[in-house]
Amino acid sequence: MIFMGARPSYDEYFMEMAHVVAKRSTCLRRKVGAILVKDKHILSTGYNGAPKGLKHCEELGGCKREQMGIPPGERHEICRGLHAEQNAIIQAAVFGTSIKDSVLYCTNTPCVVCAKMLINAGIKEIVFSGEYPDDLAKKILGESNIKIRHFNNNKKMPSKQENYIKN
């Protein structure tokens, strides 16, 4: 086996995996992948899409939120799908895996619903590559003890913690 290129950092490795997981998404608006990691080991993965065994939006004639003209980050209750972070948390629970003190690698920042779940699940850090337009999520995460880091284009970026409003 020939080794090509530099060995990726753990951040590069896990973020690339989150992007691969996102390819399984059935969401028509946004493909999101999430990986929960602890001590450099993957605990769980998740991508956004309809609940297990149910029809996907594509099979039902399209995205209801898109058809109603609802902007991203609003009216989550109308969405048929679960978010990637929710599915990662659920998969860990199904298999009896504790995610307390783990790190979430996610292709997007969490929405407010996911942010509250991640806080209560005891996640210690969120590493993300893309923004999701949810100011309340940023405010709530800013009040939490979760460390937030932006990772983009396979390069470590300065912390975006300042965007998460601290009380």
Side-chain angles (χ1 to χ4, degrees):
M1 180 172 162
I2 300 171
F3 185 72
M4 304 290 285
R7 186 175 185 201
S9 70
Y10 279 107
D11 278 347
E12 291 167 332
Y13 174 67
F14 291 128
M15 189 57 74
E16 185 171 340
M17 291 178 86
H19 282 275
V20 170
V21 169
K23 292 179 180 183
R24 291 279 308 150
S25 170
T26 59
C27 181
L28 301 173
R29 284 183 119 178
R30 183 185 306 260
K31 308 279 186 209
V32 180
I35 298 182
L36 287 165
V37 175
K38 187 171 185 179
D39 298 327
K40 299 179 182 154
H41 295 294
I42 296 170
L43 302 176
S44 181
T45 68
Y47 53 86
N48 55 330
K52 190 185 319 185
L54 300 185
K55 290 183 179 183
H56 305 290
C57 295
E58 186 174 56
E59 300 170 282
L60 297 170
C63 173
K64 187 78 156 168
R65 292 174 68 233
E66 188 76 28
Q67 292 165 356
M68 296 173 71
I70 298 169
E74 297 179 17
R75 305 288 315 272
H76 300 281
E77 73 279 6
I78 294 173
C79 181
R80 183 171 181 80
L82 289 147
H83 288 188
E85 304 94 323
Q86 294 167 344
N87 275 324
I89 291 168
I90 291 166
Q91 287 304 304
V94 165
F95 292 102
T97 303
S98 172
I99 58 173
K100 187 176 190 289
D101 295 324
S102 65
V103 176
L104 174 77
Y105 285 85
C106 196
T107 57
N108 291 88
T109 53
C111 73
V112 68
V113 174
C114 292
K116 292 184 283 188
M117 292 176 71
L118 295 165
I119 292 165
N120 278 0
I123 303 306
K124 71 176 183 179
E125 183 176 9
I126 297 170
V127 182
F128 68 94
S129 61
E131 294 276 352
Y132 184 75
D134 192 328
D135 290 336
L136 184 55
K138 288 180 179 180
K139 182 178 184 328
I140 286 174
L141 286 169
E143 295 172 17
S144 77
N145 291 322
I146 296 177
K147 179 180 176 185
I148 314 291
R149 264 191 314 125
H150 185 210
F151 182 89
N152 197 4
N153 295 329
N154 292 330
K155 293 182 180 177
K156 292 179 190 174
M157 301 298 286
S159 171
K160 284 216 161 181
Q161 189 79 34
E162 64 274 6
N163 290 340
Y164 292 79
I165 303 159
K166 292 286 182 189
N167 271 353

